[in-house]
């Protein structure tokens, strides 16, 4: 859910601040139309709503060692290893870089490469190629043909300090190692509906050891899509107005660090993968048909640590996933904090802060599970924790999800009895008496104090 009950409307401001708060980076805009003008997003970071990428020159040229060439492809063909192909103004693609150790760079600002809506704009097939200060735009429109702004099929390729607009797929990383994408903004085609007909912002197919950092993606299908990729690090990215911010499929040993996914259907969709690590990320106001901050579907042996999951329909949705660790996360203002189902009973959930969720936990399971295997549990906002010895840990257990809570969630008609004395007595017994062992989740050592601060997500007048 979008937090409206007690959280302030500043969630929207936070979302935009997350998107444009990287103001030191030169290529930061929320969205762009055909003229390159951003569309209607403001923030308190000093970036105005009419901030522009800049005007688009109608003509230009490509050069190597001071020699101008009639087309971009002619310049790329003339380049030798170690050369830089400079683009001034606007040149046309499609074009292919097939010479190793070549740099393609904009001169006097961004070099514009337009594909005129014909297939992939710029294709890299040689190793050790660097693309920098480029504005790649107007790819073909066929998602089924994988039309992209940039296609990387050479090892150790770098795309940095660039922007891609009006593209179907943004950057496709195709079966290569050590690709690096940095300080780049990717804007798809907002007018293409439904969203599933768009391409992905960054597509990783059998990519190994790639690094994606300080990237912004919007108006695509999924922001960053992983397929059979491994060892990939994604950090400091901002992903908004997408189906899934990040989408893993059959991809292991990958890391997400300090990213922000806001206003999507799902922030981070992790599926059919293992040994993933999510650290210091934010999933804010991800609502819609799915509405998850983080989705774990058939994901095993993975870790969610120190993330903020705020204002989503489900903070974390765990489906058929085992042996995962949730530690030190803030789970606040969601419809459901953590939703467990399909046999997801073997999770370690320790040191998290649950606050202001409509339901902290919904456990659609047929057994009782204890989350915290250590001597330390989680903080539950609104729980009455008895800490007699003042060590910060309660002496009595807390039951965030039991049979009563599950019945109220799965059978709405039963909610009419939720405030009856009999139901309240059963809830109290479930939460505090060890002899009442109904299916659900129990925290044997709840914390007396929160481990994470949520106050900056709330307006001063509503705290």
């Amino acid at each position: 859910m979008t937090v409206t009950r007690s959280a302030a409307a500043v969630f929207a401001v936070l979302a935009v601040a997350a998107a444009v708060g990287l103001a030191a980076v030169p290529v930061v805009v929320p969205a762009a139309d055909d003229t390159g003008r951003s569309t209607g997003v403001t923030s308190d970071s000093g970036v105005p709503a009419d901030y522009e990428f800049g005007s688009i020159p109608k003509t230009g040229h490509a050069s190597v060692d001071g020699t101008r060439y009639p087309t971009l492809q002619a310049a790329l063909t003339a380049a030798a290893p170690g050369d830089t192909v400079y683009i001034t103004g606007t040149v046309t693609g499609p074009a292919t870089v097939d010479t190793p150790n070549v740099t393609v760079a904009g001169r006097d600002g961004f070099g514009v490469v337009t594909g005129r809506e014909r297939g992939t704009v710029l294709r890299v097939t040689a190793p050790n190629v660097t693309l920098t200060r480029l504005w790649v735009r107007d790819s073909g429109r066929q998602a089924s043909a994988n039309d992209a702004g940039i296609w990387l099929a050479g090892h150790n390729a770098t795309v940095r300090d660039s922007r891609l607009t009006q593209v179907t797929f943004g950057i496709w990383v195709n079966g290569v190692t050590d690709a690096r994408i940095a300080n780049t903004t990717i804007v798809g085609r907002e007018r293409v509906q439904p969203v599933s007909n768009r391409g992905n912002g960054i597509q990783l197919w059998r990519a190994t050891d790639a690094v994606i950092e300080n990237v912004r993606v919007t108006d695509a299908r999924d922001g960053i899509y992983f397929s059979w990729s491994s060892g990939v690090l994604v950090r400091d990215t901002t992903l908004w107005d997408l189906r899934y911010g990040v989408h893993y499929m059959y991809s292991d040993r990958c890391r997400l660090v300090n990213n922000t996914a806001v206003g999507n259907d799902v922030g981070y969709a992790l599926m059919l993968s293992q040994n993933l690590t999510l650290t210091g990320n934010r999933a804010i106001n991800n609502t819609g048909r799915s509405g998850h901050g983080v989705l774990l579907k058939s994901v095993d042996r993975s870790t969610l640590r120190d993330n903020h999951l705020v204002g989503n329909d489900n903070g974390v949705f765990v489906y058929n996933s085992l042996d995962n660790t949730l530690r030190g996360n803030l789970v606040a203002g969601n419809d459901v904090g953590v939703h467990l189902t399909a046999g997801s009973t073997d999770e370690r959930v320790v040191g998290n802060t649950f606050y202001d969720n409509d339901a902290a936990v919904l456990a659609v399971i047929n057994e009782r599970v204890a989350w915290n295997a250590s001597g330390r549990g989680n903080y539950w906002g609104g729980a009455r924790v008895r800490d007699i010895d003042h060590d910060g840990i309660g002496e009595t257990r807390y039951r965030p999800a039991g049979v009563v809570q599950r019945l109220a969630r799965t059978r709405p008609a039963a909610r009419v009895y939720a405030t009856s004395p009999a139901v309240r007595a059963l809830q109290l017994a479930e939460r505090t008496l060890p002899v009442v062992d109904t299916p659900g989740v129990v925290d044997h050592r709840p914390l007396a104090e929160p481990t994470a601060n949520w106050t900056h997500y709330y307006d001063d007048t509503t705290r």
Side-chain angles (χ1 to χ4, degrees):
M1 69 174 191
T2 300
V3 175
T4 57
R5 186 174 57 259
S6 60
V10 295
F11 270 97
V13 176
L14 288 170
V16 176
V20 297
L22 307 170
V25 178
V27 190
V28 180
V29 297
D33 60 19
D34 289 336
T35 67
R37 182 183 296 271
S38 68
T39 52
V41 180
T42 60
S43 79
D44 56 3
S45 68
V47 180
D50 61 349
Y51 176 82
E52 294 181 353
F53 276 136
S55 59
I56 304 172
K58 292 183 179 180
T59 61
H61 62 270
S63 62
V64 181
D65 288 334
T67 301
R68 293 188 182 185
Y69 291 85
T71 65
L72 173 59
Q73 188 60 65
L76 293 171
T77 301
D83 282 346
T84 297
V85 176
Y86 286 106
I87 297 173
T88 303
T90 297
V91 297
T92 59
T96 299
V97 186
D98 57 8
T99 302
N101 196 27
V102 163
T103 298
V104 183
R107 170 166 274 175
D108 300 327
F110 285 89
V112 181
V113 185
T114 175
R116 298 175 295 177
E117 299 190 353
R118 299 176 183 177
T120 291
V121 182
L122 196 54
R123 192 178 296 269
V124 175
T125 60
N128 305 312
V129 170
T130 297
L131 308 179
T132 182
R133 300 193 306 278
L134 299 181
W135 183 352
V136 178
R137 53 181 293 121
D138 307 317
S139 77
R141 290 180 169 271
Q142 299 301 312
S144 60
N146 301 331
D147 290 344
I150 297 173
W151 185 283
L152 299 180
H155 298 294
N156 198 34
T158 297
V159 179
R160 67 169 186 259
D161 305 325
S162 295
R163 56 179 67 141
L164 297 92
T165 63
Q166 296 301 312
V167 288
T168 300
F169 288 87
I171 301 174
W172 187 297
V173 183
N174 194 68
V176 298
T177 60
D178 298 314
R180 183 169 184 260
I181 303 169
N183 190 26
T184 291
T185 296
I186 300 171
V187 181
R189 290 186 165 109
E190 181 183 10
R191 295 175 184 174
V192 173
Q193 297 293 336
V195 171
S196 58
N197 287 344
R198 305 173 186 172
N200 301 314
I202 297 175
Q203 176 96 14
L204 298 157
W205 183 81
R206 295 193 179 276
T208 305
D209 298 332
V211 176
I212 299 169
E213 57 187 345
N214 203 9
V215 168
R216 283 77 54 197
V217 184
T218 189
D219 292 337
R221 179 170 60 204
D222 298 340
I224 305 173
Y225 181 89
F226 294 70
S227 179
W228 300 101
S229 296
S230 62
V232 178
L233 169 63
V234 177
R235 64 188 173 200
D236 300 320
T237 67
T238 305
L239 310 151
W240 73 105
D241 287 346
L242 306 159
R243 184 184 67 168
Y244 303 157
V246 172
H247 188 179
Y248 285 106
M249 293 292 291
Y250 306 104
S251 296
D252 303 334
R253 299 183 297 103
C254 296
R255 292 183 292 155
L256 293 173
V257 180
N258 195 37
N259 304 289
T260 298
V262 59
N264 309 296
D265 189 5
V266 177
Y268 308 97
L270 286 50
M271 303 182 188
L272 298 162
S273 304
Q274 60 185 358
N275 296 314
L276 305 176
T277 302
L278 281 70
T279 306
N281 303 285
R282 292 159 297 281
I284 301 174
N285 280 354
N286 296 287
T287 60
R289 293 182 61 185
S290 298
H292 311 309
V294 177
L295 166 65
L296 301 179
K297 183 176 182 180
S298 300
V299 168
D300 301 331
R301 296 181 292 281
S302 296
T303 298
L304 278 65
R305 186 176 69 248
D306 300 329
N307 304 287
H308 286 194
L309 314 172
V310 182
N312 309 286
D313 288 346
N314 292 293
V316 184
F317 187 89
V318 188
Y319 182 95
N320 190 32
S321 298
L322 298 173
D323 198 23
N324 299 298
T325 298
L326 282 69
R327 184 182 298 272
N329 302 287
L330 171 63
V331 185
N334 305 286
D335 187 0
V336 175
V338 176
H339 186 155
L340 297 176
T341 189
S344 303
T345 59
D346 186 23
E347 321 300 333
R348 292 173 297 279
V349 185
V350 179
N352 303 283
T353 294
F354 291 83
Y355 176 78
D356 196 34
N357 303 286
D358 279 355
V361 180
L362 173 59
V364 186
I365 54 180
N366 295 318
E367 58 185 285
R368 182 179 63 85
V369 297
W371 270 351
N372 51 307
S374 69
R376 186 169 179 265
N378 304 276
Y379 175 80
W380 305 95
R384 296 179 179 179
V385 175
R386 296 178 59 190
D387 181 15
I388 298 174
D389 58 4
H390 303 292
D391 65 350
I393 301 175
E395 278 74 43
T396 59
R397 73 178 193 171
Y398 181 73
R399 191 72 182 273
V403 66
V404 173
Q405 181 260 6
R406 176 177 173 180
L407 182 64
R409 280 273 163 183
T410 57
R411 303 200 177 196
R415 294 178 186 176
V416 69
Y417 302 105
T419 59
S420 69
V423 169
R424 287 182 175 177
L426 180 54
Q427 287 176 318
L428 179 62
E430 279 191 316
R431 289 179 175 177
T432 59
L433 298 179
V435 296
V436 180
D437 287 333
T438 55
V441 171
V442 62
D443 188 340
H444 287 289
R445 303 288 280 167
L447 303 181
E449 298 293 335
T451 62
N453 181 15
W454 62 78
T455 57
H456 57 289
Y457 290 106
Y458 290 81
D459 190 293
D460 289 338
T461 61
T462 58
R463 280 207 298 268

